[in-house]
């Protein structure tokens, strides 16, 4: 229970307003578990004995389903839907969580549409890169008997060689810097 209190204290959520008032500013981001903790507090309030040996007449806290439903409706996008539904009492009516469920479905549908657009864009980008790769890979490089290295001026022959993007061919050994062509230095 202490961890729950810490969660709630950290983000400044107050139990009186359904968690609607969240402190803004440079504080830490609201952890996704805080609204679940708030739901737990509403649905299964802690026992008064957890306050310690305080000699006060306190009424036993009652579950507040309406406040919990308000948290669901206001913060559906920040809650794990499955965990939130599992916290609700077994006799909760569907009509009581209709607004919450509709919001969740609408949000998921929107996310699905966004992901489909993103998928199409990534597919187009993938095809463009493939095309570029094929273009670069189809460059032919013919080493003739007369072909000489542009660094040491000796024949390339059967030695390993390197080709710069501008077509300059040098011995692999003479290629000291892959990013700078020796003829352009
Ligand atoms: Zn060379």
């Amino acid at each position: 229970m202490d961890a729950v209190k810490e969660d709630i204290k950290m983000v400044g959520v107050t139990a009186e307003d359904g968690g609607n008032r969240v402190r803004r500013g440079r504080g830490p981001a609201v952890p996704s578990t805080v609204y679940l903790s708030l739901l737990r507090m509403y649905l299964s309030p802690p026992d008064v004995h957890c306050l310690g040996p305080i000699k006060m007449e306190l009424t036993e806290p009652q579950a507040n389903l309406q406040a919990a439903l308000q948290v669901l409706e206001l913060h559906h996008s920040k809650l794990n839907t499955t965990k939130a539904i599992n916290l609700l009492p077994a006799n909760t009516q569907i009509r009581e969580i209709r607004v919450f469920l509709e919001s969740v479905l609408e949000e998921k549908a929107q996310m699905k549409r966004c992901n489909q657009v993103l998928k199409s864009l990534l597919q187009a980008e993938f095809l463009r890169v493939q095309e570029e790769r094929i273009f670069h890979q189809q460059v032919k490089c013919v080493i003739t008997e007369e072909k000489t290295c542009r660094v040491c001026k000796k024949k390339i022959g059967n030695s390993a060689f390197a080709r710069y993007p501008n077509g300059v061919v040098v011995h692999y050994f003479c290629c000291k810097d892959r990013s700078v062509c020796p003829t352009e230095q």
Side-chain angles (χ1 to χ4, degrees):
M1 193 51 69
D2 282 350
V4 172
K5 285 183 195 160
E6 273 307 303
D7 265 0
I8 291 173
K9 204 166 71 181
M10 193 165 74
V11 293
V13 175
T14 59
E16 289 74 33
D17 64 357
N20 198 25
R21 190 149 50 90
V22 176
R23 193 193 302 140
R24 307 275 175 217
R26 268 184 282 171
V30 180
S32 57
T33 53
V34 76
Y35 292 104
L36 280 177
S37 302
L38 190 55
L39 270 186
R40 259 185 225 107
M41 292 285 260
Y42 276 139
L43 296 168
S44 318
D47 195 276
V48 284
H49 298 108
C50 76
L51 292 173
I54 300 173
K55 301 284 180 205
M56 275 173 68
E57 281 299 319
L58 291 170
T59 51
E60 200 63 36
Q62 299 295 311
N64 187 345
L65 182 64
Q66 285 313 311
L69 294 176
Q70 202 189 351
V71 173
L72 284 184
E73 288 174 20
L74 288 172
H75 305 289
H76 60 88
S77 59
K78 302 157 205 147
L79 279 162
N80 178 315
T81 312
T82 314
K83 285 183 180 171
I85 289 177
N86 284 341
L87 286 177
L88 291 171
N91 60 354
T92 308
Q93 303 286 313
I94 289 288
R95 61 182 163 78
E96 292 176 301
I97 54 171
R98 188 178 58 87
V99 176
F100 164 66
L101 291 178
E102 281 175 353
S103 306
V104 169
L105 289 176
E106 176 56 35
E107 191 198 346
K108 301 290 180 204
Q110 197 178 352
M111 200 183 288
K112 186 183 170 189
R113 285 193 293 274
C114 282
N115 284 336
Q116 279 171 336
V117 171
L118 185 65
K119 186 186 167 191
S120 302
L121 289 172
L122 289 173
Q123 182 68 18
E125 173 71 0
F126 172 73
L127 290 177
R128 194 191 62 72
V129 173
Q130 284 283 77
E131 203 179 330
E132 203 176 305
R133 180 182 63 80
I134 291 167
F135 171 77
H136 287 297
Q137 285 186 343
Q138 71 187 359
V139 175
K140 256 203 275 181
C141 179
V142 181
I143 306 294
T144 57
E145 278 288 309
E146 292 75 37
K147 192 85 174 172
T148 53
C149 169
R150 295 286 285 272
V151 176
C152 67
K153 313 297 180 201
K154 289 177 188 164
K155 285 185 179 177
I156 298 284
N158 291 328
S159 311
F161 63 91
R163 181 190 179 278
Y164 287 93
N166 61 1
V168 170
V169 174
V170 298
H171 285 117
Y172 188 75
F173 178 77
C174 296
C175 173
K176 301 297 180 197
D177 188 345
R178 289 175 181 216
S179 57
V180 183
C181 174
T183 60
E184 289 176 353
Q185 277 177 330

